[in-house]
Amino acid sequence: MTINLKVWKQKNAKTSGNLETYKVDHVSPDMSFLEMFDVLNEKLVQDNKEPIAFDHDCREGICGMCSMYINGQPHGPLEGVTTCQLHMRSFSDGDTIVVEPWRSAAFPVIKDLVVDRTAFDRIIASGGFVSVNTGNAQDANNLPIGKDKADMAFAAAACIGCGACVAACKNASAMLFVSAKVSQLALLPQGQPERESRALNMVAQMDAEGFGACTNTGACAAECPKEISLDNIARLNREFLGASISNQEV
Amino acid sequence: MSWLTKTLTSSIGKKLLMALTGLFLCTFLVVHLIGNLQLFKNDGGYAFNNYAVFMTTFPVIKIVSYVNYALILFHAFWGLYITYKNRQARPIGYAVVKNSSSVFSRNMAILGTILLVYLVVHMSDFWYRYHNEALPYVQYTEQISTGNVETTLMETGYTQEAKKVESFNEEAGTKTIIVKDLYSVVSFSFQNILLVLFYVLSMFAVAFHLFHGFQSAFQTLGWSHPKYTPLIKGIGIWIFAVLIPVGYAAMPLYFYFLK
Ligand code: HEM
Ligand code: SF4
Ligand code: FES
């Protein structure tokens, strides 16, 4: 296959960027999207040109590092699939593919397709944790958890923090991510001690980072590679509004 | 900042205000439609004109209607402000966008702005004229025993202090009412095809705004549940995006084609 690429090139956070055109020959349909970029970068290095910077780590859909906005969709055309798990068989010979970085005021571009997602880390640090006693781990069966709750918590915990929800949302809202992180803990007994402060602090941090507000368009859930459900956003609204009303701070 | 300000100015709190005001406006749409159904009565405007007097003089209703006007303005400008702030969250856009959300959900502010323009036109067409202009008057004489109503248009130029004057004739067993004839004003206005088209098209904006908005408000309130959400979505689509806009659009069409 031959693939024509239009890729966002930007030197650093201070400069402005533009789309550059590349042609990649001998692309195998079995290559992953990132492997196609590896082939292109190797060629660019051989030609003494700057390779394209992009994020990646596990390349098996679990770490949340890869982050390409492909032909107008975060992580490309397939549902429930990260960029690293997207294969060239999803495209046709001669296709032109436009690849851009996540766009959000809260995710500034560091270089080319790499954006700074530490805003997510600060949101997690503000409340996405549970307090545990030191010493031996207690027996798991000491804490009975209903299967329905466990399943919902598990589905929320599947979020890999990639930020595709922000990239897809017209408001660059981080609600799906934050709702997944609040839900996975609010549903479990271990999450109860910090339940109220978690919802309040994580939402406050999310707002401080400059993400937009949710308008329930549902683009996030449609594009999320882990298919996190909008029900989590409703739960976050409940958790936040409930905590605002009932918590002791005046 | 007090906890309340902090809550209501957070991203979720801002939306809460949109949802609560939006749902209040939805109940207003239902009440307003039911009241206006009296336009379809073939009684020379007897029921409708009396209803208009009641709605604009009964103190409780007057208060509720001013609250309603204030909430429409609040909902409109708060919504536009949120939309403006949300745009700032993405200063640099994409070269290519393949949308996976509904076109209505993405354009609530545009649909809302159409509604706002519509409301201004609508209020100046009827509300402003009813309150501030010399309207024609109509006299209804009701035979109390039979309920038969005789309608007589007052001559042009007739005017009186009150919107409605009621008198009884015990001997004849009749009740006579002279009221401002809003019904004729409505009937006459909707002989203009351009106004009829504008009203009907605006009802599409209502339909699309509520197609997304009604269920969205419940999601904002956190009311998402496998048992009840399908019901809410059904009500949003069939009642608020179909039945109500069709009911409203039927009024100008009725006067244009059938009166
Ligand atoms: C009869 C009139 C109206 C009704 C019944 C109504 C109802 C609603 C409802 C139920 C929502 C959903 C709230 C939510 O998602 O939580 C909404 C959202 C919205 N409305 Fe209205 N609305 C009306 C008029 C207007 C007007 C005149 C504007 C003017 C610009 C407007 C602008 C908006 C905007 C921008 C949103 C989206 C806000 C967001 O999602 O953050 N609406 N409306
Ligand atoms: S909710 Fe989905 S799209 Fe958003 S960060 Fe988590 S995995 Fe990525
Ligand atoms: S590289 Fe880890 S999820 Fe794609």
Side-chain angles (χ1 to χ4, degrees):
Chain A
M1 292 164 75
T2 297
I3 297 290
N4 302 301
L5 287 175
K6 283 189 176 167
V7 182
W8 186 260
K9 285 290 289 175
Q10 180 172 337
K11 200 155 174 253
N12 55 46
K14 292 190 186 73
T15 55
S16 62
N18 62 292
L19 285 173
E20 286 213 8
T21 308
Y22 300 89
K23 194 168 164 197
V24 198
D25 291 316
H26 313 298
V27 174
S28 149
D30 297 328
M31 278 179 184
S32 77
F33 202 77
L34 297 186
E35 282 164 343
M36 187 255 307
F37 265 77
D38 293 338
V39 168
L40 169 61
N41 272 348
E42 246 168 65
K43 179 145 184 307
L44 288 172
V45 170
Q46 274 168 11
D47 296 350
N48 263 332
K49 288 190 191 139
E50 267 252 319
I52 300 161
F54 63 91
D55 259 331
H56 62 105
D57 188 15
C58 70
R59 298 207 177 194
E60 52 186 11
I62 56 172
C63 76
M65 273 310 276
C66 56
S67 52
M68 291 183 185
Y69 195 86
I70 301 162
N71 277 347
Q73 286 177 288
H75 294 304
L78 295 190
E79 264 177 43
V81 169
T82 53
T83 301
C84 58
Q85 294 288 293
L86 177 67
H87 289 81
M88 295 315 293
R89 53 182 166 266
S90 295
F91 299 90
S92 314
D93 189 23
D95 273 2
T96 298
I97 307 173
V98 181
V99 187
E100 299 173 80
W102 286 178
R103 296 289 191 199
S104 157
F107 288 164
V109 172
I110 298 173
K111 187 176 169 56
D112 301 342
L113 301 172
V114 180
V115 297
D116 180 356
R117 283 171 284 180
T118 48
F120 271 12
D121 300 341
R122 289 188 290 273
I123 293 175
I124 293 292
S126 73
F129 51 81
V130 293
S131 303
V132 289
N133 291 327
T134 53
N136 285 344
Q138 64 170 321
D139 185 65
N141 295 327
N142 280 352
L143 283 175
I145 301 171
K147 167 105 170 86
D148 52 341
K149 291 273 159 50
D151 285 350
M152 283 193 276
F154 189 82
C159 166
I160 53 176
C162 63
C165 41
V166 175
C169 173
K170 82 174 179 55
N171 312 312
S173 166
M175 282 287 275
L176 195 64
F177 166 75
V178 175
S179 73
K181 298 303 173 193
V182 165
S183 290
Q184 68 183 17
L185 300 177
L187 286 161
L188 299 178
Q190 291 91 334
Q192 298 313 306
E194 298 96 351
R195 184 167 171 180
E196 289 189 341
S197 59
R198 176 182 308 116
L200 295 173
N201 294 341
M202 289 181 82
V203 169
Q205 190 61 38
M206 168 181 85
D207 290 350
E209 296 291 349
F211 293 105
C214 175
T215 57
N216 303 331
T217 67
C220 52
E223 297 293 0
C224 169
K226 298 297 152 187
E227 301 180 320
I228 300 294
S229 154
L230 287 180
D231 292 342
N232 292 298
I233 294 188
R235 185 179 297 105
L236 173 60
N237 292 337
R238 279 200 304 275
E239 292 287 324
F240 174 80
L241 294 170
S244 299
I245 290 168
S246 66
N247 101 319
Q248 299 286 321
E249 255 170 73
V250 285
Chain B
M1 245 193 299
S2 84
W3 71 272
L4 194 61
T5 334
K6 216 157 96 186
T7 304
L8 295 180
T9 53
S10 69
S11 56
I12 296 178
K14 281 189 193 131
K15 275 286 302 207
L16 175 72
L17 293 175
M18 283 310 283
L20 293 177
T21 51
L23 288 179
F24 178 86
L25 296 180
C26 285
T27 62
F28 155 74
L29 285 185
V30 174
V31 175
H32 190 51
L33 178 70
I34 292 174
N36 284 8
L37 285 178
Q38 297 175 85
L39 282 168
F40 293 123
K41 274 193 170 174
N42 212 353
D43 61 356
Y46 180 62
F48 180 75
N49 281 333
N50 276 312
Y51 168 72
V53 173
F54 171 71
M55 292 305 276
T56 51
T57 50
F58 190 62
V60 178
I61 304 244
K62 260 178 109 165
I63 294 169
V64 173
S65 64
Y66 280 99
V67 168
N68 188 42
Y69 304 147
L71 289 185
I72 289 178
L73 288 177
F74 177 84
H75 179 89
F77 288 103
W78 196 241
L80 291 176
Y81 166 72
I82 294 176
T83 307
Y84 167 75
K85 292 295 272 184
N86 282 347
R87 292 188 70 124
Q88 290 182 330
R90 174 164 299 136
I92 303 170
Y94 293 108
V96 183
V97 177
K98 202 159 161 238
N99 282 307
S100 48
S101 53
S102 84
V103 58
F104 311 132
S105 72
R106 276 180 274 119
N107 293 295
M108 290 297 276
I110 292 174
L111 293 167
T113 306
I114 297 173
L115 282 180
L116 193 61
V117 172
Y118 164 78
L119 286 169
V120 171
V121 172
H122 179 57
M123 294 285 281
S124 55
D125 273 348
F126 301 123
W127 184 88
Y128 181 82
R129 280 162 78 184
Y130 190 66
H131 286 268
N132 296 297
E133 281 184 15
L135 248 51
Y137 281 80
V138 58
Q139 173 180 309
Y140 299 110
T141 308
E142 182 181 349
Q143 191 70 43
I144 294 173
S145 52
T146 61
N148 270 353
V149 178
E150 194 186 310
T151 307
T152 332
L153 296 179
M154 305 298 284
E155 61 212 56
T156 38
Y158 174 87
T159 186
Q160 65 188 24
E161 240 353 80
K163 286 178 180 133
K164 167 171 162 180
V165 172
E166 210 173 63
S167 59
F168 290 91
N169 183 336
E170 305 237 341
E171 275 166 40
T174 56
K175 181 168 91 172
T176 300
I177 300 167
I178 303 181
V179 280
K180 274 195 168 181
D181 194 5
L182 186 60
Y183 180 83
S184 299
V185 175
V186 173
S187 171
F188 180 75
S189 299
F190 289 144
Q191 302 309 315
N192 177 351
I193 183 69
L194 290 179
L195 195 71
V196 171
L197 274 179
F198 176 67
Y199 269 63
V200 172
L201 289 178
S202 298
M203 289 311 112
F204 279 95
V206 173
F208 298 153
H209 198 76
L210 295 181
F211 183 89
H212 173 69
F214 187 77
Q215 56 82 31
S216 169
F218 287 88
Q219 168 84 358
T220 303
L221 295 172
W223 291 6
S224 161
H225 193 282
K227 279 196 189 117
Y228 313 112
T229 302
L231 183 68
I232 288 168
K233 289 195 170 165
I235 293 175
I237 294 174
W238 293 108
I239 298 194
F240 284 94
V242 176
L243 192 64
I244 289 186
V246 166
Y248 279 117
M251 292 167 193
L253 293 172
Y254 166 78
F255 283 104
Y256 186 77
F257 288 108
L258 299 175
K259 278 279 147 177

